[in-house]
Amino acid sequence: MSYASTAGHDEHHDHPTGILRWLTTTNHKDIGTMYLIFSLIMFMVGGLMILAVRVELFQPGMQLMQPDFYNQLIGVHALVMIFAALMPAATGFANWMLPLQLGAPDMALPRLNNWGFWLLPPAAILLTLPFTLALFGIGDGAIATGWTFYAPLSVQGGIGVDFAIFAVHILGISSVMGSINVIVTIFNMRAPGMTLMKMPMFAWGWLITAFLLIATIPVLAGAVTMLLTDRHFGTHFFNAAGGGDPILFQHLFWFFGHPEVYILLLPVWGFMPQILQTFARKPMYGYKAQVYSFWGIGILSVVVWAHHFFTVGMPVPALIYFMFSTMAISVPLAVLFFCWIATMWRGSMTFETPMLFAVGWIILFGIGGLTGLVLADVAADAQYHHTYFVVAHFHYTLFAGGIMGIMAGVYYWLPKMTGHMYNENLGKLHFWLTAISFNLTFIPQFFLGLAGMPRRIPDYALQFADFNAVSTVAALVLGLSQLLFIYNIVSCARGGKKATDRVWEGSDGLEWTLPSPPPYHSFTEQPVIK
Amino acid sequence: MAVVAITAAFSLLVGLGFSFAGAWLVLPFAGLEVLAIAYAFYYIHCHAGDYESITIEGDSLTIEKHDYKHDSRTVFNRYWAGVLVRELPCGDHSLYLRSHGKEVEFGRHFMNDDQRLQLAEQLKKRVGVIT
């Protein structure tokens, strides 16, 4: 008789409890949970900042704050939402779901994973600390340049800019760590038989996201470092008086900044077809077409950056190139939209909360995409640039396309993660309140932009008052309705109806073969994919 | 290898491009990042096949370890071997198999404390003097 016991490659030394569990954990599910909780907290922090801004804009004239503080709130709101809310949410899902979907016991580099997360809280503190320091008379508050750090304004700014530069460096290191981990995991730890073209779409979305981060983070890191040396070490990279070029900063920033949009969206595009096929109860339409579209969008995203500053004064051939290359992105994006809709076509659809968010997401993100096409037109952009039309456009892409997508993912996977079903009625109420108040917040901003209201101003002409009032009231409803989201998540984590392993009738994929919640070590024996 | 090469080529191309435009500080960051990716792939390449195994067959108890290029194989007599669990200062436990003055640690890198204790209980039933 023969007995054998084998220990595979796994980095978990122990399973501590209490605070140590969270500080030292290398478990992908623990780290994923920490990312998601951190994201939710920062989502509320960033949301509160912008609600203060919206209240200031409720009527013309200065009501609550000085213009400089207003500028600080806008800049930090954007940095928090992009780097500390949306990106960590996507990374949280990657940590939770990639090993489960790929049939791996964990991420390939678990300690790196732990470091990647624990870099985030110090970065968030650096971003927001200048507000507190200013209360004690230290410095003049947070970064007030908007999230774009444009030189020469940022060269002249206060210590908030330095804090933001270091925060961005730390966030960049964290992102690169996460990306390396995702790439290495996907290439080395897929279950036997899972070829690249059999991977779940979410893994494809994240693989391309990781490559985009690897390609663009060094450019951002270089740009903000040059900014730092311009500020403190006498260099003139962006100072025209010293032979530098402020426009160079814009090229550097947007070489990172435009792919960043797809970095935020590709993970959502990855899991959304899975939600659609689950609740349409039919297979995903056009898997290969979606994968190739992801690649097409990923590649195009790094060659279109200058459409963010058409009005800066570029040569006409450059304008034409950036206009047509930007418009070209709509081709693979249209393929994706077709596939998403075709997945639902003649399906046996039911509209649980994840599906409500998914369908709402297709419509609202579609509006974001179409209005982006308007801005890609050089002639039209000359009119709309730096107006509220742009603000409304990128909130349709990043709030509807990003955050509402993340919400769909939360409701979809929450029963799997916690082992309990969430409150469906509250979920649906949350969706309708969010969708309606979001539209009432941002549709008026399209009209404000078309009428010529510039963005990033604390005061405005009387003609814009009505739309601003509507937008502010709706924004407050939007903010308050997120309390339902938090309540639903917390109550689901604490208890509720027991979730089955499959959770949803139409769910398909390796993650649904594990118990709900999955054991501490998922897949101690690799599943084989046929 | 191809993944590292393509990623490195693109990152360095971007770094060089911006260097020619005057933003040379992009290049060192791109270089550092490429080194990090290359090391991550190298590390996984070296250690993806690492394992430890215990095989009990007939009278023999065989412990095999593979750590990158280092292989070790220890054979004990199943009925003479002993299972030893030592408590560490941190409260965790280490698991040893020993016989005739020779001791081999097992599960240090690949198992957590619960798993080591569980395995020790299983082994105690199958090695040494079995009653």
Side-chain angles (χ1 to χ4, degrees):
Chain A
M1 186 181 274
S2 162
Y3 303 97
S5 171
T6 306
H9 190 199
D10 192 330
E11 295 279 355
H12 306 298
H13 293 275
D14 53 328
H15 183 175
T17 51
I19 188 74
L20 259 187
R21 168 180 173 179
W22 301 102
L23 281 174
T24 62
T25 183
T26 51
N27 183 281
H28 73 99
K29 290 186 282 285
D30 282 354
I31 296 174
T33 301
M34 291 195 296
Y35 266 109
L36 291 170
I37 292 171
F38 176 81
S39 161
L40 188 61
I41 292 169
M42 296 314 289
F43 174 55
M44 300 313 287
V45 170
L48 282 173
M49 287 178 187
I50 211 60
L51 284 184
V53 165
R54 277 306 333 162
V55 171
E56 171 59 52
L57 290 171
F58 180 66
Q59 58 185 31
M62 300 307 299
Q63 321 294 333
L64 295 174
M65 58 188 83
Q66 293 301 309
D68 195 48
F69 185 65
Y70 176 94
N71 289 339
Q72 292 170 25
L73 284 178
I74 286 188
V76 179
H77 157 76
L79 286 166
V80 162
M81 286 303 203
I82 290 167
F83 287 105
L86 211 38
M87 285 176 76
T91 315
F93 281 147
N95 270 290
W96 246 102
M97 289 301 156
L98 279 181
L100 301 188
Q101 292 192 333
L102 298 173
D106 204 309
M107 297 295 277
L109 303 159
R111 287 194 192 92
L112 193 77
N113 213 6
N114 178 289
W115 295 349
F117 172 76
W118 282 110
L119 285 174
L120 290 180
I125 290 169
L126 277 179
L127 270 180
T128 49
L129 187 63
F131 285 123
T132 316
L133 291 178
L135 292 177
F136 295 98
I138 304 168
D140 48 4
I143 183 168
T145 65
W147 84 290
T148 52
F149 290 85
Y150 273 3
L153 182 61
S154 53
V155 178
Q156 299 155 1
I159 60 164
V161 178
D162 299 317
F163 274 77
I165 287 171
F166 284 111
V168 162
H169 266 302
I170 293 172
L171 291 162
I173 293 168
S174 169
S175 297
V176 169
M177 283 179 169
S179 302
I180 290 173
N181 214 350
V182 165
I183 292 171
V184 175
T185 302
I186 288 176
F187 278 103
N188 291 286
M189 299 191 65
R190 297 192 310 278
M194 185 181 280
T195 59
L196 284 174
M197 289 308 279
K198 284 184 182 171
M199 279 200 312
M201 283 304 296
F202 180 57
W204 270 114
W206 245 107
L207 182 63
I208 295 161
T209 293
F211 278 126
L212 286 177
L213 278 165
I214 296 285
T216 59
I217 287 286
V219 180
L220 178 68
V224 294
T225 306
M226 286 185 277
L227 196 58
L228 193 72
T229 60
D230 270 13
R231 284 169 57 80
H232 298 295
F233 301 105
T235 58
H236 298 286
F237 287 109
F238 308 123
N239 182 357
D245 182 6
I247 307 299
L248 175 63
F249 184 86
Q250 299 194 23
H251 282 284
L252 288 163
F253 182 84
W254 287 111
F255 186 85
F256 154 80
H258 190 72
E260 172 69 10
V261 176
Y262 299 100
I263 286 163
L264 298 170
L265 295 178
L266 273 162
V268 177
W269 297 348
F271 65 70
M272 205 53 87
Q274 295 172 228
I275 295 177
L276 293 171
Q277 72 170 7
T278 297
F279 295 99
R281 293 170 179 76
K282 60 193 276 276
M284 184 185 303
Y285 183 89
Y287 173 87
K288 282 184 181 172
Q290 290 188 58
V291 171
Y292 297 143
S293 296
F294 278 13
W295 277 110
I297 290 168
I299 292 165
L300 282 170
S301 74
V302 290
V303 296
V304 300
W305 70 91
H307 66 235
H308 288 273
F309 48 100
F310 276 148
T311 55
V312 84
M314 278 184 281
V316 170
L319 291 176
I320 290 172
Y321 160 74
F322 282 112
M323 176 171 74
F324 284 122
S325 57
T326 302
M327 288 178 170
I329 293 181
S330 60
V331 177
L333 200 52
V335 172
L336 289 180
F337 271 93
F338 180 80
C339 291
W340 298 331
I341 293 166
T343 298
M344 293 187 289
W345 185 254
R346 293 190 167 176
S348 296
M349 290 205 289
T350 51
F351 293 93
E352 288 86 344
T353 309
M355 187 62 161
L356 280 179
F357 269 97
V359 175
W361 170 84
I362 291 178
I363 296 165
L364 299 178
F365 177 55
I367 294 172
L370 287 171
T371 50
L373 209 50
V374 175
L375 291 167
D377 185 298
V378 173
D381 187 69
Q383 170 73 21
Y384 303 138
H385 185 79
H386 213 266
T387 67
Y388 261 80
F389 190 90
V390 178
V391 177
H393 153 70
F394 68 70
H395 279 93
Y396 268 86
T397 56
L398 292 184
F399 187 93
I403 290 174
M404 284 180 71
I406 293 288
M407 286 169 178
V410 168
Y411 283 113
Y412 184 55
W413 280 320
L414 199 58
K416 172 56 66 182
M417 294 171 174
T418 61
H420 303 119
M421 295 305 291
Y422 58 86
N423 184 323
E424 190 65 53
N425 289 333
L426 271 186
K428 286 178 176 169
L429 180 64
H430 172 228
F431 166 74
W432 286 112
L433 281 173
T434 301
I436 293 168
S437 58
F438 167 77
N439 280 297
L440 286 175
T441 303
F442 290 103
I443 286 176
Q445 295 187 15
F446 276 126
F447 294 127
L448 287 169
L450 290 170
M453 178 171 163
R455 57 190 288 215
R456 290 175 174 151
I457 53 159
D459 191 8
Y460 51 82
L462 206 56
Q463 69 186 89
F464 304 127
D466 293 343
F467 278 136
N468 268 300
V470 172
S471 184
T472 295
V473 172
L476 290 170
V477 176
L478 181 60
L480 283 174
S481 54
Q482 302 320 308
L483 297 178
L484 289 175
F485 185 48
I486 293 173
Y487 175 78
N488 217 350
I489 291 172
V490 172
S491 57
C492 178
R494 290 166 66 95
K497 190 183 154 197
K498 186 91 183 77
T500 60
D501 294 354
R502 272 191 84 182
V503 181
W504 311 109
E505 186 192 6
S507 54
D508 184 35
L510 284 178
E511 75 264 40
W512 309 106
T513 63
L514 289 170
S516 302
Y520 192 74
H521 292 272
S522 26
F523 294 117
T524 46
E525 285 182 26
Q526 277 195 312
V528 177
I529 310 298
K530 290 172 185 166
Chain B
M1 193 63 197
V3 175
V4 177
I6 292 168
T7 311
F10 186 79
S11 279
L12 296 175
L13 186 72
V14 170
L16 282 171
F18 278 115
S19 293
F20 285 124
W24 59 269
L25 263 171
V26 172
L27 200 53
F29 285 105
L32 279 174
E33 191 188 61
V34 167
L35 284 177
I37 296 168
Y39 179 74
F41 269 89
Y42 175 73
Y43 180 85
I44 289 293
H45 169 73
C46 292
H47 293 285
D50 289 1
Y51 68 89
E52 291 180 346
S53 75
I54 295 175
T55 307
I56 300 170
E57 194 165 21
D59 289 351
S60 67
L61 168 77
T62 309
I63 302 146
E64 287 178 296
K65 293 186 177 189
H66 175 80
D67 178 11
Y68 186 32
K69 288 180 179 173
H70 306 289
D71 285 306
S72 70
R73 187 168 189 270
T74 310
V75 181
F76 292 140
N77 183 302
R78 174 184 177 182
Y79 299 106
W80 283 91
V83 179
L84 182 68
V85 176
R86 288 199 185 108
E87 189 169 348
L88 301 171
C90 63
D92 282 357
H93 300 83
S94 53
L95 169 63
Y96 293 88
L97 289 148
R98 65 178 179 180
S99 181
H100 291 80
K102 195 173 179 186
E103 202 170 74
V104 179
E105 189 178 2
F106 190 85
R108 182 179 174 189
H109 296 297
F110 302 137
M111 304 179 94
N112 64 29
D113 203 43
D114 291 342
Q115 289 170 326
R116 276 193 293 271
L117 292 173
Q118 204 178 351
L119 179 64
E121 287 307 309
Q122 287 176 357
L123 285 172
K124 280 175 184 171
K125 292 175 187 165
R126 288 173 183 160
V127 302
V129 180
I130 300 170
T131 53

